[in-house]
Amino acid sequence: MIKKSDKILRRDFFKAGGAGLAAFASTPLWMGAGNDSAAPDRTTPAAPVTLKSTQLELVLDGRDGLPYEFRLLALGTKMRGEDRGAKIEVTLCRLDPWTFTTIPLAASWSSVTGSQADFRFEAEFDGKRAATFTVRYVLEDSTVHISLESVIELAGYELIEVALPRLVTVREEDGHAWLAHGDGGGSVVSLDKAKSGRLKPNTFWGKVLASLPMVMLGTDRAICVQEVTAYMDGTELAVEGDAGHRRASIGIIQTHRVNGSLCYDMNTGPNTPRNCGNSGTPNLMVGQKSTCRLDFIGDIDGDGKLDWLDGAKFARSHMPAIPTHYYDDKLIYAIHCDQPLWPKPGATFEQAGKLIRDVATLTDQMAQVAHLWGWQYRGKDTGYPAVAEVNPRIGGYDGMMKLMEEARKVNCACTLSDNYDDAYKSSPAWDPAIIERRPDGELWESRNWTGENSYIIGMAKYMQGPGIERVNYTCERYKLRETTHVDVLTYFSIRNDWDRERPASGVKNLVEGRYRVLAEFAGHGVDVSSEALRYAFIGKVSCFWYAQQPLSDPFS
């Protein structure tokens, strides 16, 4: 209800509106944790390893290297750790013959130094030593940092991943217990009403929660917020047990290498087969340390109750700051000018100019950012990775330059929508050397968006070569100022390149490719917006086009 007036000024309406618009070829053993309420409980550790701060005491099982109990000293309560007596499980690859296995492990030894506990593991493949690694816990106030350290792979073997799927647990018997996550729109479910299940693997990223790798467990006495801070590590959230005895748990999958034996969705469209690896497929080294944090909190907002909002507010409090406030109070939209399948353009540059002026009139000269889609070659998704020709059917180079200049007179930054992921064989800049490779070693051919199948660019190798010159050319030739839009750049924050000669994990393509695009545009004073909010771009991109679709929740 509007108390002072039943009228809303157009400028205020658009301010509010602008803010709102903005593989599986093998299955690890831990995926089989079912709905067995009779499964044994973890007994009190015979050789506990304890870390203590002024706020938290962490008791670890010295045999298995897993948390047994979290004693929240500041809150006067406890939360359970891994409560089933399960072990850490490791997935290994033997290169010759090419074989994968997943096995449970106990720690070979442990050590404590101040606020840090290390557990060393030695993994064998058919009785032969294959890899060693350390799982490290570091206690900082009420936060537990968990990382994978000191990985050594013996000749002929590779470490794929280390699974710790049950780090913290709540039970229905604990009183009012609940679970929450942000995947697919998110949900909050009371444990006494929750269905048994687990978060479903993502089509493209498996257990990686690319948008928001945070899950929560809580009671009326304490909350645990788990944040998986490594971009290619997996997140686990599961509910098991019968009514009255349900348990919810959270955990992580520490990924050291991308599993080359699995089958992957290559974004070739619905009902198309996945592409599977073979004996020549590299298990890509991720190249980023596996890290995770567990934060134990109480009533953050001081409203006298504990709920998921306390966890959300805590998570927000330590997110990186937004890079720029340039987009504040601006109306941001796209003008779809042309694509080759259309009999005539959707909007010529002259028509786009009229639209921009009309919007300015309707919004009392409110600041705008207008992205031109289909400005190049024969329209949207044509010509890439070349950007040297402006679509003649909608007005050509001179028409676009005039539109951009005229738009500024009505408080509009008229700019481009570009794309650094897709390439086409018909492009004058076509070069198979910059195209990513699928798990089977072939060029990564993707989908037909507007008349021709695209191929996926390997961002790391592209930005070591022609990508930088493309940014320079685009900014100078089209006189870009302040902002531009690069479609897909953030959506696929993680894309692997199985190129046998120049392999690149999703992290390598992210850091050396996608981040490099942002940096090169920033060098010209141009900020980049993109297609969808992704965790890896929080603190690096300020404006995302919303692309999250609601998914069915496995727990409700």
Side-chain angles (χ1 to χ4, degrees):
M1 178 183 292
I2 302 172
K3 296 181 179 179
K4 293 186 178 181
S5 171
D6 60 355
K7 297 181 180 180
I8 303 177
L9 296 176
R10 283 177 296 179
R11 180 186 294 273
D12 293 336
F13 172 81
F14 278 102
K15 283 183 179 181
L21 291 175
F24 309 145
S26 60
T27 303
L29 296 178
W30 53 264
M31 288 288 288
N35 193 25
D36 183 7
S37 299
D41 289 342
R42 179 176 294 276
T43 58
T44 303
V49 174
T50 303
L51 299 177
K52 186 174 182 179
S53 72
T54 58
Q55 299 183 43
L56 177 65
E57 187 172 65
L58 168 60
V59 181
L60 297 143
D61 190 320
R63 180 189 61 182
D64 293 335
L66 287 166
Y68 169 71
E69 190 172 67
F70 302 89
R71 298 168 182 168
L72 285 59
L73 306 178
L75 299 175
T77 189
K78 301 176 182 179
M79 293 187 81
R80 294 181 177 86
E82 201 294 319
D83 69 340
R84 286 299 201 194
K87 298 180 184 298
I88 286 175
E89 292 183 344
V90 57
T91 300
L92 301 165
C93 173
R94 181 177 59 197
L95 300 178
D96 186 19
W98 192 62
T99 315
F100 291 76
T101 188
T102 299
I103 56 173
L105 283 184
S108 57
W109 55 262
S110 63
S111 66
V112 177
T113 306
S115 60
Q116 174 180 306
D118 286 354
F119 295 87
R120 192 66 178 170
F121 294 84
E122 299 179 354
E124 294 184 349
F125 196 118
D126 286 347
K128 295 184 179 180
R129 196 177 183 200
T132 64
F133 59 89
T134 295
V135 174
R136 174 171 293 167
Y137 298 84
V138 177
L139 182 58
E140 179 187 14
D141 299 326
S142 60
T143 301
V144 180
H145 300 277
I146 306 171
S147 60
L148 182 65
E149 307 278 347
S150 305
V151 175
I152 299 175
E153 300 169 317
L154 278 73
Y157 299 93
E158 292 178 339
L159 174 67
I160 305 299
E161 67 182 28
V162 178
L164 299 80
R166 297 174 64 89
L167 291 169
V168 185
T169 307
V170 292
R171 299 184 184 181
E172 203 171 342
E173 299 96 312
D174 293 340
H176 179 61
W178 52 268
L179 57 145
H181 67 90
D183 190 45
S187 76
V188 181
V189 182
S190 178
L191 185 55
D192 63 0
K193 294 180 175 62
K195 296 190 300 186
S196 294
R198 61 181 68 249
L199 288 180
K200 296 179 181 178
N202 179 274
T203 298
F204 303 113
W205 305 296
K207 285 291 181 178
V208 176
L209 301 186
S211 294
L212 189 63
M214 292 186 185
V215 290
M216 302 182 216
L217 297 178
T219 67
D220 55 3
R221 298 181 297 280
I223 297 171
C224 177
V225 179
Q226 175 184 284
E227 179 180 353
V228 178
T229 48
Y231 300 142
M232 293 181 68
D233 279 3
T235 300
E236 265 292 334
L237 172 62
V239 173
E240 63 179 4
D242 299 323
H245 302 284
R246 298 178 183 91
R247 305 183 188 195
S249 57
I250 54 179
I252 58 173
I253 299 93
Q254 300 173 317
T255 305
H256 185 64
R257 290 181 180 270
V258 179
N259 192 325
S261 73
L262 301 184
C263 299
Y264 294 87
D265 188 317
M266 311 306 288
N267 195 26
T268 50
N271 303 316
T272 57
R274 292 171 176 259
N275 189 266
C276 302
N278 53 50
S279 59
T281 304
N283 297 314
L284 301 173
M285 179 78 78
V286 168
Q288 181 187 34
K289 181 189 291 188
S290 290
T291 55
C292 167
R293 58 184 292 168
L294 302 173
D295 290 285
F296 295 87
I297 63 172
D299 183 10
I300 293 292
D301 54 18
D303 65 354
K305 61 181 180 180
L306 289 180
D307 54 31
W308 72 274
L309 282 171
D310 290 294
K313 291 173 182 178
F314 170 81
R316 182 181 62 184
S317 70
H318 67 262
M319 287 293 105
I322 189 171
T324 176
H325 288 276
Y326 170 81
Y327 303 98
D328 291 3
D329 297 329
K330 286 184 172 64
L331 179 62
I332 303 166
Y333 59 95
I335 302 174
H336 197 161
C337 296
D338 201 10
Q339 66 179 48
L341 298 180
W342 289 352
K344 64 178 182 178
T348 64
F349 292 138
E350 184 176 346
Q351 291 169 331
K354 181 180 184 305
L355 175 63
I356 289 169
R357 293 191 298 273
D358 288 347
V359 171
T361 300
L362 288 169
T363 61
D364 192 23
Q365 303 293 310
M366 179 181 181
Q368 308 173 48
V369 176
H371 301 141
L372 300 175
W373 289 53
W375 60 272
Q376 82 289 352
Y377 289 88
R378 296 179 297 112
K380 186 179 185 298
D381 289 305
T382 63
Y384 294 136
V387 288
E389 182 180 331
V390 179
N391 188 344
R393 191 163 79 152
I394 57 176
Y397 177 80
D398 291 339
M400 191 169 78
M401 292 299 97
K402 179 181 178 181
L403 168 63
M404 289 179 168
E405 196 58 39
E406 291 293 318
R408 301 192 74 83
K409 297 177 181 178
V410 292
N411 204 19
C412 176
C414 183
T415 188
L416 307 180
S417 175
D418 208 338
N419 180 322
Y420 278 64
D421 273 70
D422 294 309
Y424 297 89
K425 282 189 172 181
S426 63
S427 171
W430 170 257
D431 180 2
I434 64 171
I435 303 301
E436 289 195 348
R437 297 278 175 166
R438 308 181 309 190
D440 66 2
E442 298 298 318
L443 292 178
W444 186 335
E445 184 176 3
S446 185
R447 298 173 70 171
N448 184 328
W449 301 107
T450 55
E452 180 184 1
N453 282 1
S454 73
Y455 288 77
I456 303 303
I457 293 175
M459 291 299 292
K461 54 195 178 189
Y462 185 55
M463 292 307 294
Q464 291 170 356
I468 293 177
E469 178 52 36
R470 175 177 171 181
V471 174
N472 294 335
Y473 177 89
T474 301
C475 290
E476 294 166 7
R477 173 66 172 164
Y478 302 118
K479 301 178 174 59
L480 296 187
R481 291 182 282 185
E482 300 167 359
T483 182
T484 196
H485 184 79
V486 178
D487 197 33
V488 191
L489 187 75
T490 58
Y491 189 101
F492 283 104
S493 56
I494 298 299
R495 249 181 175 156
N496 299 307
D497 183 357
W498 285 272
D499 189 325
R500 273 52 168 174
E501 296 181 3
R502 291 187 289 175
S505 72
V507 165
K508 182 178 177 67
N509 276 328
L510 172 70
V511 175
E512 298 181 17
R514 298 177 189 278
Y515 287 171
R516 188 75 183 271
V517 172
L518 300 179
E520 293 297 324
F521 272 106
H524 290 270
V526 177
D527 188 77
V528 174
S529 65
S530 194
E531 184 177 359
L533 187 149
R534 296 288 183 256
Y535 180 76
F537 284 93
I538 295 176
K540 297 183 181 297
V541 170
S542 298
C543 179
F544 301 89
W545 282 59
Y546 184 78
Q548 182 65 57
Q549 296 180 347
L551 302 174
S552 60
D553 180 63
F555 309 111
S556 59

